[in-house]
Amino acid sequence: MWQLGGKNFSSRLVLGTSRYRSPENLREAITRSGIEIVTVSLRRQAAGDGNKFWDLLREMNIAFLPNTANCRSVQEAITTAHMAREVFKTNWIKLETVGDEYTLAPDPFALVEAARILIADGFEVFPYTTEDLVVAERLVAAGCKILMPWAAPIGSGQGIANAQALKTLRARFPETTLIIDAGIGAPSHAAQVMEMGYDAVMLNTAIALADDAPKMAQAFARAIEAGRMGYEAGLMPRRDFAEPSTPTLGTPFWKEEKRA
Amino acid sequence: MTISIGIVGAGIIGRLLALKACARGWRVTLFERGAEDGATACSSVSPAMLAPYCELDVAEKTVSDLGALSLRLWPEILCEFDLPVYFQQAGSLVVAPPQNSDELEHFARTVKSRASEDVFQNIKSDELKVFEPDLDSRFQSGLFFPSEGQIDSRGALAALLMAARERGADCRFGQEVRAIRPNEIDCGNATSKFDMVFDCRGYGAAKDIKNLRAVRGEIIRLHAPDVHLNRPVRLLHPRWPLYVVPRPDNHYIIGATTIESEDASPIALRSMLEMLSAAFTISAGFSEARILETLTGLRPAFPDNEPRIMHQPGLIRVNGVYRHGFLLAPVLTDYACQLAEKSQPSAPMPYLVREAA
């Protein structure tokens, strides 16, 4: 069990809901991997009255984390967040502010500003950010209790582009919930960030575009669980065997001295 | 045996069903709330690609198998038309810009894992120039699906109506159907009785069919005198795969978005930018194209995005054709007719659902 935004969950995999072959395929992925939280996009899907795609997900009794995908400005993001609160009856908002259309890199300036306004308005803000330490600090200073740094650009499947920076974030924000958002391509990537002590992983493309999405969802769920268990059990320290520091069994000691 | 049937909905399914029923000698009455031009039917928005294998990227194998059967049936249907309708079977081409060449591999892998036979060829850059001289030179490789085709959706809708009428179908437009029951259709203040009622309303049937939803699709029609493409071209992109479909006289259809929404309002600016960028990427000649119109339609879909024929005594519903109305119509309407005749279709039908009477 772990806590997120005041609720208890057992799954540490948060799933995006776009680009599946069908809603049924998505539902199978959710069921098979025990997913309890999904993100949904409002910007393009909210028009008209009601949305049966969302209704199909509502039947599954899972938590919704609405997002502000495709928003560029602070105002757009805020308007979308308000709409999300209305539609999904939740104060959770995955705050995304697009800074670059091609990579979908977040605009950190708009992000911090929108986060401050939304937190003052009672939202639980999940900001989608880069691995940058200072942006993370500003977001935490603005009141964010959760951060969602990317591992690599969204949809790229590149895995961890800057492992050192992600380790630094974990070390500097021990009290903040850290969820890796974007860039994960393979279950091993997810296991790796969980071993670093990240609280959860958010994914979409790697599962949605797999040949067998439900099976891939299950693969990720297991990798995330394994990574988390490894972190909790305590990983052994890395050892450098390039230069022997103690005499090797069977090697005469005078040879060791010579080398030193 | 001559039976009387009532069909509700004059999209591609309803119209083709009317023609096939007339050919069987049945007495056919077709009801449609919209006009004859089919503008209110999402069928008229469809680029009507007959691409059972390319669609494997988003569809399941069963849809592809039915589509492959249908593809063989279309030429026979065309023979029934008095109007010339544009139909092409020159294959389709799938390309990706070099920086996204992984997308092409992924697409090929997806199709291979689901298609039962070898349905495409890998095309290298020199061959690509022979296939499509106007394709931008940045494209270095592609996948060619030789058996695929396309049909002019509006032309086909008009020709189907004409052919059905000539064969005696009573086609009533501007008729709001209030209720559908086994053997009965309530229209206006009257109730008409039939041996069999066919519900072909698409998303218009949502209140009667559980779990039917709408998926918004937007397209753009262009006139591009500077561009000569010989066949439909699909552009793979990490976020928005789109296609450009050539029609006679340098007309083109760019489509189609797939948005989980029941909103049928006009095209979104973002969709327009994405689709026009795709066209421009395929050939710079599109820069001077004229935008003729933009259209939005709501495709009817079940949660698995696969079609259903639901039947009970006196009532058969055909729905959930999603993006594949023209691709699936020949097979689905055949099965629906067979069901009405002897309550069991001759071919295996994986989506057949017996509705509680």
Side-chain angles (χ1 to χ4, degrees):
Chain A
M1 277 292 179
W2 67 299
Q3 277 224 331
L4 180 65
K7 294 179 198 167
N8 289 323
F9 296 98
S10 45
S11 165
R12 289 173 181 268
L13 171 53
V14 181
L15 194 66
T17 54
S18 65
R19 300 192 66 185
Y20 288 81
R21 304 175 85 78
S22 66
E24 199 48 51
N25 197 228
L26 166 61
R27 278 156 50 117
E28 267 176 57
I30 292 170
T31 311
R32 200 156 152 190
S33 53
I35 281 162
E36 296 164 314
I37 308 164
V38 296
T39 71
V40 283
S41 168
L42 263 92
R43 196 87 174 93
R44 307 204 81 182
Q45 297 179 4
D49 6 293
N51 182 308
K52 289 189 179 162
F53 173 69
W54 294 340
D55 292 343
L56 287 169
L57 294 174
R58 282 192 180 102
E59 287 171 8
M60 306 196 70
N61 202 17
I62 44 178
F64 283 88
L65 172 56
N67 67 49
T68 65
N70 288 322
C71 291
R72 291 182 72 97
S73 70
V74 173
Q75 194 48 53
E76 264 183 297
I78 289 171
T79 309
T80 307
H82 281 266
M83 198 193 292
R85 183 158 66 180
E86 195 105 321
V87 172
F88 290 101
K89 314 282 176 230
T90 175
N91 68 337
W92 287 12
I93 190 73
K94 181 168 178 278
L95 183 59
E96 301 181 29
T97 49
V98 180
D100 177 73
E101 275 292 331
Y102 195 70
T103 58
L104 295 181
D107 173 345
F109 307 98
L111 187 66
V112 173
E113 196 186 333
R116 187 176 297 122
I117 296 167
L118 288 169
I119 287 167
D121 203 359
F123 281 93
E124 184 79 72
V125 174
F126 295 57
Y128 166 54
T129 182
T130 65
E131 78 280 16
D132 187 276
L133 176 63
V134 180
V135 176
E137 269 171 358
R138 297 289 156 87
L139 287 166
V140 170
C144 292
K145 295 184 178 62
I146 300 154
L147 295 178
M148 298 186 79
W150 69 1
I154 193 163
S156 71
Q158 290 169 3
I160 303 163
N162 189 349
Q164 192 48 53
L166 292 184
K167 281 182 191 163
T168 305
L169 287 186
R170 183 67 286 179
R172 292 292 276 285
F173 303 104
E175 301 302 320
T176 306
T177 300
L178 296 181
I179 303 173
I180 287 291
D181 181 1
I184 298 291
S188 55
H189 301 155
Q192 229 177 321
V193 294
M194 293 306 292
E195 286 165 2
M196 288 180 185
Y198 275 75
D199 295 282
V201 171
M202 148 85 213
L203 275 171
N204 186 49
T205 315
I207 291 175
L209 297 192
D211 292 345
D212 184 337
K215 194 170 194 171
M216 188 61 90
Q218 197 179 10
F220 269 105
R222 289 184 183 177
I224 287 164
E225 208 183 322
R228 180 66 194 180
M229 282 176 83
Y231 171 73
E232 288 173 358
L235 299 181
M236 67 171 284
R238 242 178 100 96
R239 284 173 187 153
D240 190 351
F241 285 113
E243 285 289 321
S245 53
T246 49
T248 313
L249 195 70
T251 309
F253 59 87
W254 62 87
K255 284 200 172 174
E256 288 292 334
E257 278 175 354
K258 225 187 209 169
R259 195 179 284 176
Chain B
M1 185 184 67
T2 292
I3 61 170
S4 70
I5 68 162
I7 302 173
V8 186
I12 177 61
I13 301 289
R15 290 185 197 212
L16 187 53
L17 186 65
L19 178 62
K20 290 193 169 172
C22 289
R24 283 172 148 83
W26 298 351
R27 271 201 318 284
V28 177
T29 312
L30 175 68
F31 300 84
E32 164 62 47
R33 69 174 170 195
E36 287 191 23
D37 63 6
T40 51
C42 76
S43 309
S44 70
V45 175
S46 170
M49 283 198 297
L50 306 174
Y53 307 114
C54 275
E55 284 292 310
L56 279 169
D57 190 28
V58 290
E60 297 298 336
K61 185 177 182 308
T62 33
V63 170
S64 172
D65 290 347
L66 286 183
L69 285 175
S70 273
L71 188 55
R72 275 171 239 150
L73 297 174
W74 267 113
E76 290 169 35
I77 297 167
L78 292 171
C79 295
E80 306 283 315
F81 293 171
D82 302 313
L83 290 173
V85 172
Y86 179 72
F87 171 83
Q88 185 199 49
Q89 203 167 0
S92 51
L93 194 63
V94 181
V95 294
Q99 67 269 31
N100 299 128
S101 61
D102 289 353
E103 301 292 324
L104 209 57
E105 271 172 47
H106 185 254
F107 189 94
R109 197 184 76 197
T110 307
V111 172
K112 258 189 212 159
S113 72
R114 292 181 157 86
S116 42
E117 49 196 304
D118 261 354
V119 293
F120 65 87
Q121 304 153 11
N122 286 295
I123 303 290
K124 292 286 155 239
S125 66
D126 45 341
E127 291 173 289
L128 209 53
K129 286 201 169 49
V130 179
F131 269 77
E132 295 294 350
D134 274 10
L135 196 66
D136 193 281
S137 57
R138 85 181 75 197
F139 296 103
Q140 296 297 310
S141 60
L143 307 173
F144 178 57
F145 292 74
S147 65
E148 297 192 332
Q150 55 148 324
I151 187 166
D152 168 20
S153 50
R154 286 173 175 173
L157 289 174
L160 280 168
L161 179 62
M162 186 184 225
R165 276 188 166 145
E166 272 170 11
R167 285 159 186 74
D170 175 7
C171 302
R172 305 175 187 175
F173 288 84
Q175 302 286 311
E176 189 75 43
V177 165
R178 286 185 291 109
I180 293 176
R181 288 179 301 279
N183 304 108
E184 286 180 353
I185 294 172
D186 289 350
C187 185
N189 295 322
T191 294
S192 310
K193 291 193 177 297
F194 301 95
D195 295 325
M196 182 63 77
V197 169
F198 289 90
D199 177 2
C200 308
R201 291 174 293 172
Y203 190 60
K207 67 174 172 28
D208 292 336
I209 300 178
K210 193 176 172 282
N211 273 340
L212 191 69
R213 76 185 198 288
V215 181
R216 174 178 163 98
E218 301 152 310
I219 65 155
I220 303 172
R221 301 177 83 100
L222 299 177
H223 181 221
D226 298 342
V227 184
H228 302 83
L229 293 178
N230 299 315
R231 54 183 62 73
V233 177
R234 264 175 212 247
L235 175 68
L236 302 182
H237 178 282
R239 278 188 291 280
W240 15 276
L242 292 163
Y243 45 76
V244 174
V245 183
R247 288 286 154 83
D249 305 320
N250 301 87
H251 282 69
Y252 291 88
I253 300 176
I254 308 173
T257 54
T258 300
I259 301 168
E260 291 286 351
S261 168
E262 284 148 55
D263 166 26
S265 64
I267 192 166
L269 183 142
R270 184 187 191 90
S271 304
M272 190 118 156
L273 285 174
E274 288 176 359
M275 287 198 269
L276 295 180
S277 305
F280 189 66
T281 305
I282 283 173
S283 176
F286 278 113
S287 60
E288 278 305 312
R290 295 296 181 259
I291 299 172
L292 302 179
E293 63 179 330
T294 62
L295 297 165
T296 303
L298 295 182
R299 313 154 174 127
F302 287 104
D304 57 5
N305 290 350
E306 296 187 21
R308 303 265 193 286
I309 298 179
M310 294 168 284
H311 66 126
Q312 55 179 284
L315 175 61
I316 293 173
R317 301 186 202 266
V318 185
N319 216 316
V321 292
Y322 186 41
R323 295 162 49 114
H324 310 116
F326 280 84
L327 180 61
L328 299 178
V331 160
L332 293 181
T333 50
D334 272 352
Y335 290 157
C337 286
Q338 288 162 14
L339 261 181
E341 268 168 342
K342 42 185 188 286
S343 81
Q344 274 307 318
S346 60
M349 177 61 204
Y351 319 102
L352 220 52
V353 178
R354 192 171 289 277
E355 261 189 330

